[in-house]
Structures are given as C-alpha cells and as structure tokens.
Amino acid sequence: MTQMQFKDAFWCKEFTLHTGFEVLVQRLLDGRKMCKDVEDLLKQRAQAEERYGKELVQIARKAGGQTEVNTLKAAFEKLKQQIESVGNSHIQLAGMLKDELKGIEEFRERQKEQRKKYEAAMERMQKSKLSHYKKTMESKKSYEQKCKEADEAEQSFERMSASGNQKQTEKSQNKAKQCRDAAHEAENVYKQNIEQLDKARTEWEEAHIKTCEVFQLQECDRITILRNSLWVHCNQLSMQCVKDDEQYEEVRVSLENCVVESDIDYFIKSKMTGTQPPGAIGYENYYDREPNRSNSPTQTCGMMKRFSGLLHGSSKNNAESVIPSAPPFEKTDGVYASIYVNEHERTSSSQDYRVLYDYTAQNMDELDINEGDIVAVIEENVDGWWTVERNGQRGFVPGSYLEKIC
C-alpha cells in the first residue's frame, strides 16, 4: 500500500484560504499536547516509584526481628534485605523514567523550534500571495472599468459621426481614443500583476509542499518517539516485576530452609537452664530432728543455704540464672523426710565430669567452676550439691552443672 502524503491531501480550492495548512498546524499542536501528556504520565509514575522505593527501604531498615533465632531469623533477615533491594530497584526505575522524560521534553522542544520556523516562512508566503492577489484583483477591476469606459466612448463617437456635427465628432473621437489608451494601460498593469501573482503563487506552493513534507516527518518522528517511549516504559515495568519476583524468590528459598525442629533445638541448646525440675521441699518436724546427727550446725546451715540458693538460682549472672535441680525426696509416713545430709545418703564416685555452666561460689565450702572444666566427683549428695575436686581444691558445686564423661 502506497503511503499517503501531506503534500497531496492538504490543499484548498479557494485561492485565498489556507485550510489545509491550518489543519496540519493544529495536528502538530495536538501532537505537542500529546507529548506533554506522556511526559506528565512518566513524571508522575517516576515520582510514585521513587516514593514507593524509599518507603520500602525505610520499612526494611526499621523492621525488627532481632529477638528471633536460627533459620527463621535468617529467613526474616533475607526478607528485609530483599525488600530493601526491591526498594532500591524501584528508585533506579524512577531514575530511568526521568531520563526517558527528559528525552521526550528535548524532542518536543526541537520540534517546536522547527515548526515555528516553517510556520513563519509560510505566513510570509501567504501574506505575499494575498497581497498580490488583492493588487491583481484591483488592477483587474480597474482594467474592466477602463474597457467599459472605452466602449462607451467609441459608441458615443459613432453616434456623433452619424449626426454630422464635425466639432462634436472630433471631440468624441479624442475622448474615445483617450479611453482606449487608458484601457490598454490598465490591461498592461493587470497583466503585470497577474504575472507577479503567479510567481507568488508558485513560491507559496513550493513552500507549502516543503512545509507539508517537514510536518509529515515531524509527525512520523513524534509518533515513533512516543511509541518507542511507551514500549520502553512497559518493558521497564515488566522487568521490574521480574526483578521483584526474583528477589522475593530468594526469600522463598530462605523460608524453605527454615526448619521448625531446627529452630527449637537451637533455642534449647543455646538457652537451656537445666534438665530436671527442682525437688520437692519436704516437711521437717523440729522435734523429730536427731540431736546427735553427724553434721555440725555450721555444715547443716551451709547445706540449707546452698539448697535455698538452688531454689532461687545462683550463678555468675543473675539475669541469666540457671537453677540446678535435685531429685525428689521419697515420702515416709505420709510426709516428706527431713532434708539433711548424712553418710548413708551419699554415694562415692571417682568419675570425671565436664562442667556445663559457669558457677561462682556463694559460700566458703563451695568451689568456683567454669564451663568446659574437667572435675573429679568425690561425692554425689541427694540434695543436688556434689563434692568435687579440681586442681587439688575441693568444694560443693550444683550437680546439674556437670556432665559425665563417657
């Protein structure tokens, strides 16, 4: 199919009218308005993308999650990282849209300058053509009037010749000759104006054709530029969606590695406080206590103090106290037996044990131990306090703080 051309479709049969040119100019003005509309769309979209991106970055940076542990914490950290990455990519998209917007603005201004240049040239040509046309029409009117006067003078001369009045005949003849000469002069002026008008018309036609070609090229460029710009814009948005999905896919992969059992085990191993509950506190009848028990008041007092410490928790750091547990006491006669230490309640052991937690001595008969130390257990007392030896020093330590070395 043959491409239609502006120069073949925007003429006007009326010599003094320029409707075709006016239609083309209006089309270019409408095209300029369309460029501005696209610019406004890209500008607002860029602003929205920038706001959205900055808000995402701010959300990611303000998000907490520091209290979580292990794989769920890692997945949440990955989510924050990817949200920030998505925000930054949207900020980058806003920058690309601004660059595209700037290119359309520059193109629009270049077209405006070129259009104004050809508009001004066409205005001059149109004014020149109209001026020559007006002058030609006036000379034509004058020529026709002179011819009419010459015809009337010749008719008057013929009537005078028939009357036989010599003097009036000569006078009429002279007038007829003058009118005819004036008509010839008006005819010459009319012909000159016709020639000048035709020259102006030819120049105007050439300018009109050239202007039509330039305007058609401008219109083609404008449509091409806007079409490509919108195409690029859609591609950018599509790529942004793909990029967002890829980044969130990393979060999904991280969540696949989030194992509930693993997180529970990690928490227990890192924060465990003991493997046994505290023993029951038995009833102790004051009058049933044996007066001649082997333990001295000082030792009993120390033992009860240590037992009290076991109930309330004693460690190097009270904020993270570890409460060792002692096995429950056996019931006798419906009540719990009195809590005291004698030789029959102790079992001897010479096994080596590893210290699980730090412990700072609270009494003179206790021993400081640190996590990882190897100690020899001398006695395992049922009250939960064992006698151990380390580096030649003996003392009581919580039995739940020790682990037998197999």
Side-chain angles (χ1 to χ4, degrees):
M1 181 178 177
T2 304
Q3 174 68 48
M4 297 183 68
Q5 303 294 322
F6 283 5
K7 63 182 180 179
D8 299 328
F10 292 98
W11 298 99
C12 185
K13 291 184 178 181
E14 182 63 40
F15 192 84
T16 58
L17 298 181
H18 308 102
T19 305
F21 176 75
E22 292 169 359
V23 169
L24 290 179
V25 171
Q26 185 60 48
R27 177 57 187 163
L28 264 59
L29 292 175
D30 293 341
R32 177 179 172 82
K33 176 64 168 57
M34 178 61 181
C35 286
K36 288 184 177 180
D37 292 341
V38 174
E39 292 167 21
D40 289 340
L41 183 145
L42 294 180
K43 182 178 180 180
Q44 294 180 32
R45 182 61 189 259
Q47 292 173 347
E49 291 289 342
E50 188 172 17
R51 285 196 305 270
Y52 177 61
K54 288 181 177 179
E55 288 179 1
L56 285 182
V57 171
Q58 188 176 15
I59 289 170
R61 292 179 178 177
K62 287 184 177 181
Q66 287 77 13
T67 58
E68 191 51 66
V69 296
N70 210 31
T71 59
L72 181 57
K73 180 177 182 179
F76 187 68
E77 290 297 323
K78 175 63 70 174
L79 175 61
K80 292 197 296 181
Q81 292 173 8
Q82 296 310 317
I83 288 177
E84 184 170 354
S85 298
V86 169
N88 288 327
S89 65
H90 280 271
I91 294 174
Q92 293 175 357
L93 174 60
M96 290 188 289
L97 293 177
K98 289 179 181 178
D99 293 339
E100 187 70 22
L101 168 65
K102 184 178 180 181
I104 297 178
E105 289 177 346
E106 292 174 353
F107 169 77
R108 174 171 53 82
E109 289 303 314
R110 287 196 304 270
Q111 280 211 330
K112 176 185 175 182
E113 292 177 3
Q114 188 179 38
R115 176 176 54 81
K116 287 290 186 182
K117 176 181 177 182
Y118 278 88
E119 272 191 277
M122 283 299 295
E123 272 188 32
R124 290 194 300 269
M125 289 294 178
Q126 290 168 357
K127 288 181 178 179
S128 175
K129 187 187 73 166
L130 293 177
S131 175
H132 282 89
Y133 176 78
K134 183 179 180 180
K135 188 176 181 180
T136 300
M137 292 301 102
E138 290 176 351
S139 63
K140 178 183 178 182
K141 185 178 180 180
S142 176
Y143 163 68
E144 290 175 348
Q145 182 64 32
K146 296 297 183 182
C147 288
K148 184 178 180 180
E149 292 176 354
D151 290 344
E152 290 176 352
E154 288 177 353
Q155 291 175 4
S156 176
F157 168 69
E158 290 176 0
R159 287 195 298 271
M160 289 297 176
S161 298
S163 65
N165 188 335
Q166 186 67 27
K167 187 175 180 179
Q168 289 294 328
T169 299
E170 291 178 359
K171 185 177 179 180
S172 178
Q173 184 179 10
N174 292 333
K175 183 177 180 182
K177 186 176 181 302
Q178 291 176 355
C179 289
R180 182 57 59 188
D181 292 341
H184 284 303
E185 183 67 24
E187 182 182 15
N188 292 334
V189 172
Y190 175 44
K191 288 180 179 180
Q192 290 176 359
N193 288 337
I194 285 292
E195 291 176 359
Q196 292 177 358
L197 177 60
D198 192 61
K199 183 179 179 181
R201 179 192 61 79
T202 302
E203 292 176 352
W204 168 79
E205 282 185 5
E206 292 174 355
H208 180 79
I209 292 172
K210 187 174 182 180
T211 300
C212 286
E213 292 173 344
V214 171
F215 283 4
Q216 183 167 352
L217 182 60
Q218 276 200 341
E219 190 66 2
C220 289
D221 290 344
R222 183 189 67 81
I223 295 174
T224 301
I225 288 292
L226 294 185
R227 174 183 177 275
N228 292 343
S229 178
L230 296 177
W231 195 292
V232 169
H233 179 55
C234 290
N235 287 343
Q236 289 172 339
L237 298 183
S238 297
M239 290 301 297
Q240 184 64 44
C241 293
V242 173
K243 187 182 297 183
D244 289 353
D245 184 69
E246 290 175 351
Q247 290 170 333
Y248 289 128
E249 179 62 23
E250 294 188 21
V251 180
R252 289 190 285 268
V253 171
S254 178
L255 288 172
E256 289 176 355
N257 297 327
C258 177
V259 181
V260 177
E261 294 79 4
S262 175
D263 283 12
I264 296 297
D265 291 344
Y266 179 87
F267 171 73
I268 292 175
K269 290 178 180 179
S270 62
K271 299 294 184 179
M272 65 184 301
T273 60
T275 58
Q276 295 180 354
I281 301 176
Y283 168 73
E284 185 176 348
N285 191 312
Y286 176 80
Y287 296 101
D288 290 344
R289 287 185 296 181
E290 298 179 7
N292 296 323
R293 63 178 57 185
S294 60
N295 294 342
S296 65
T298 303
Q299 184 179 6
T300 303
C301 181
M303 183 275 294
M304 293 302 294
K305 183 176 181 181
R306 286 194 297 276
F307 189 78
S308 176
L310 288 175
L311 295 178
H312 294 87
S314 301
S315 67
K316 188 175 295 184
N317 188 350
N318 290 333
E320 298 180 356
S321 63
V322 179
I323 305 175
S325 304
F329 297 97
E330 296 181 358
K331 285 186 178 182
T332 58
D333 299 331
V335 297
Y336 289 100
S338 301
I339 301 176
Y340 65 92
V341 180
N342 56 40
E343 295 299 327
H344 298 288
E345 292 174 324
R346 299 177 180 176
T347 59
S348 298
S349 173
S350 59
Q351 288 286 334
D352 288 337
Y353 283 73
R354 179 182 291 105
V355 178
L356 297 176
Y357 313 105
D358 296 346
Y359 178 74
T360 302
Q362 306 294 318
N363 300 292
M364 295 295 293
D365 55 356
E366 297 175 358
L367 182 66
D368 289 341
I369 55 175
N370 297 313
E371 180 183 351
D373 289 349
I374 305 299
V375 299
V377 175
I378 306 303
E379 291 180 321
E380 298 181 8
N381 301 315
V382 296
D383 62 356
W385 289 90
W386 295 2
T387 304
V388 302
E389 182 177 313
R390 178 178 60 81
N391 298 332
Q393 295 182 341
R394 290 190 179 188
F396 291 106
V397 299
S400 59
Y401 281 42
L402 305 180
E403 178 185 45
K404 181 183 288 187
I405 299 176
C406 297

